[in-house]
Amino acid sequence: MAPPFRAEHLGSLLRPDELLEVRAIIRDKGISPAEAGLPAIEKKAVGEVVKLQQDLGFKAVNSGEFNRTRFWGLLWDEIEGTIRLQDAESSMFRLYHPDVVSLIEKGRKVMPGESVIAGSKLSHNPSKSLSNLSELQEVQEFVPKSEWGNIKLTMIAPSWFHMRYKQGRAYTPEAYANDAEYFADVAKVYHAELDMLYKAGLRNVQFDDPGMAYFCSQDFRKGWDEDKDNIGTWEDLLDSYIKLYNDSIGGLPADFHSGIHLCRGNFIGGRHFSEGAYDVIAKKLFENLNVNTFYLEYDTERAGGFEPLRYLPKNKNVVVGVISTKLRQLEDKETMKERIYRAADFIAEGSGQTREEALKRICVSPQCGFSTHETGYPLSMDDQKAKLSLVRQIADEIWGEP
């Protein structure tokens, strides 16, 4: 089999204490990663988490995102032309964007933490864009070369930083005159990055894109409509993002599997940022976005029902995220299997197939990662293992395939 596999997980896994402790030493004492011994500790942790995934029967293994401190990693810091902002003025941001709403503190006029804009023309520099490549290579060390094609690398959405900014504020006036120019260069950067990773052996990429799910939020859509600075409708923005993806992945080799993961936020403490069913974007997203697979959050009523899966084309797959990484309680296996069958029935209805035919395009996973940021999540290591084991059991009993 090639990706996607019947049992999947979405990328981030709980970090071991040893890794967290050495990162804390680096942060608190201001010493270099090499002085603190981070490379050896990180490599050991990655090797152990790859083995955990293999032992649990997962084919699309990854680093657990142990090389990162937050799910979007360092790619945007490595793009030529970017400027990193710290505690940027809130006036730069769409104050109705779910992340911004949740993170800007009352009484403060800044967006806490780091953000990135384009200060000059964006370009890909292979000698600088190293984080994704080194993460891939570290996982490859623990996987037989014959199985390198199964390794999954998660990558932040190309629209990740753009969506949060007010119209025209994702870049300086000196860098770009409009969004179309900006998107054209972002697509070139992502295409070059993916081409470099393909040549290094990557055949399976999952774009993490909370922003795409934010279109499902009535509050976001209402905020967009009321924002007189915006050019065009929110549907126009959705079209632009779909084109951005298609331009980023267009022309890549046919055996390079791509997917997009939509979620409504998985912040520290398992906190979500938005809610809303897929109905308003499903037809356009499923039909027009040229990825192979959609990894969809479906653990609670926040995501709505399975009805939008009627629009899934026959040549695309869906990974149904019915297991929660936010709640410690283990789901009932038979109930989850029934939910998968329910999803299959809607896909079958929309494509004129039988349930059995529709099931061939379905897989199962948790709804999101277990540790989107480095620390602060509610599940224990044992909870995580039990949830992953449940995913594998469900896949075995429904499909009996990897």
Side-chain angles (χ1 to χ4, degrees):
M1 284 185 70
F5 298 97
R6 299 304 181 197
E8 291 267 350
H9 72 83
L10 279 300
S12 66
L13 297 168
L14 296 169
R15 276 76 163 176
D17 289 340
E18 186 180 20
L19 182 59
L20 295 175
E21 288 164 4
V22 73
R23 287 244 174 84
I25 290 170
I26 293 167
R27 187 170 56 248
D28 297 342
K29 296 187 177 181
I31 62 175
S32 72
E35 287 178 294
L38 176 62
I41 291 170
E42 186 178 273
K43 182 175 180 178
K44 174 174 173 280
V46 169
E48 290 172 351
V49 83
V50 168
K51 186 175 187 305
L52 171 68
Q53 294 166 77
Q54 292 167 332
D55 290 347
L56 291 172
F58 285 80
K59 290 287 187 182
V61 300
N62 76 338
S63 68
E65 298 182 3
F66 287 2
N67 315 72
R68 316 178 192 186
T69 59
R70 60 273 173 100
F71 75 99
W72 61 89
L74 294 173
L75 173 60
W76 274 84
D77 297 287
E78 296 168 343
I79 296 173
E80 294 286 4
T82 58
I83 298 173
R84 182 191 289 191
L85 306 177
Q86 185 70 36
D87 293 345
E89 286 292 322
S90 62
S91 61
M92 292 182 64
F93 297 89
R94 292 184 166 117
L95 298 180
Y96 47 90
H97 182 282
D99 289 0
V100 178
V101 170
S102 299
L103 294 177
I104 287 187
E105 300 164 10
K106 289 181 179 178
R108 294 192 74 198
K109 295 184 179 180
V110 299
M111 173 73 167
E114 298 172 1
S115 201
V116 172
I117 64 170
S120 58
K121 296 294 184 186
L122 301 179
S123 63
H124 185 264
N125 182 347
S127 65
K128 183 180 177 183
S129 192
L130 298 173
S131 60
N132 284 330
L133 181 61
S134 62
E135 183 174 336
L136 171 64
Q137 291 171 337
E138 196 152 75
V139 177
Q140 287 173 337
E141 288 189 46
F142 300 100
V143 175
K145 192 166 185 179
S146 60
E147 297 179 18
W148 281 10
N150 298 339
I151 295 170
K152 180 164 68 174
L153 184 76
T154 56
M155 187 181 297
I156 191 59
S159 54
W160 168 242
F161 284 112
H162 178 271
M163 192 181 197
R164 65 178 60 179
Y165 292 114
K166 293 276 285 183
Q167 185 75 46
R169 299 300 298 273
Y171 40 83
T172 63
E174 296 76 25
Y176 295 104
N178 52 53
D179 281 355
E181 288 184 8
Y182 169 81
F183 290 149
D185 277 356
V186 173
K188 290 175 186 174
V189 168
Y190 267 70
H191 193 280
E193 176 78 2
L194 291 165
D195 181 63
M196 178 182 75
L197 293 168
Y198 182 88
K199 289 171 180 172
L202 183 68
R203 298 292 184 271
N204 187 10
V205 65
Q206 171 193 305
F207 295 103
D208 287 328
D209 197 345
M212 200 64 84
Y214 294 166
F215 285 111
C216 303
S217 164
Q218 185 175 354
D219 290 340
F220 174 78
R221 299 194 305 273
K222 180 174 181 286
W224 178 278
D225 291 340
E226 293 173 350
D227 185 348
K228 301 309 178 187
D229 292 331
N230 286 328
I231 297 173
T233 65
W234 65 263
E235 291 101 327
D236 294 329
L237 185 67
L238 175 61
D239 289 337
S240 294
Y241 287 171
I242 290 173
K243 182 179 186 301
L244 173 57
Y245 267 104
N246 291 344
D247 290 346
S248 298
I249 62 178
L252 292 170
D255 64 341
F256 199 162
H257 170 267
S258 62
I260 180 175
H261 168 223
L262 279 68
C263 91
R264 291 155 184 77
N266 189 36
F267 197 56
I268 294 166
R271 178 177 161 197
H272 70 279
F273 288 159
S274 75
E275 53 189 62
Y278 297 106
D279 302 58
V280 295
I281 65 169
K283 189 175 192 299
K284 183 172 286 189
L285 186 74
F286 295 160
E287 292 180 357
N288 297 349
L289 183 59
N290 297 332
V291 295
N292 304 108
T293 300
F294 296 89
Y295 301 83
L296 301 182
E297 178 183 59
Y298 263 120
D299 61 322
T300 70
E301 293 179 359
R302 281 195 304 276
F306 293 124
E307 288 84 353
L309 296 180
R310 291 188 183 109
Y311 297 112
L312 188 74
K314 287 184 177 181
N315 65 334
K316 295 178 182 178
N317 313 293
V318 63
V319 180
V320 183
V322 294
I323 305 299
S324 175
T325 62
K326 299 176 185 289
L327 302 173
R328 296 188 65 181
Q329 181 178 350
L330 192 64
E331 289 81 357
D332 176 73
K333 181 175 63 177
E334 295 305 317
T335 302
M336 296 303 103
K337 286 166 62 178
E338 283 304 313
R339 296 199 70 205
I340 299 297
Y341 292 133
R342 180 74 171 151
D345 288 341
F346 281 110
I347 294 172
E349 177 187 325
S351 55
Q353 295 179 312
T354 64
R355 174 191 280 187
E356 289 67 30
E357 289 170 330
L359 279 169
K360 293 176 182 178
R361 296 189 284 122
I362 302 178
C363 310
V364 63
S365 74
Q367 105 289 346
C368 198
F370 286 87
S371 189
T372 301
H373 292 253
E374 200 170 30
T375 58
Y377 289 84
L379 274 66
S380 68
M381 291 285 191
D382 287 342
D383 294 332
Q384 174 181 267
K385 188 173 182 179
K387 296 265 185 174
L388 292 172
S389 295
L390 179 58
V391 170
R392 181 67 266 172
Q393 290 167 29
I394 292 168
D396 286 342
E397 293 184 18
I398 293 178
W399 295 281
E401 297 173 351

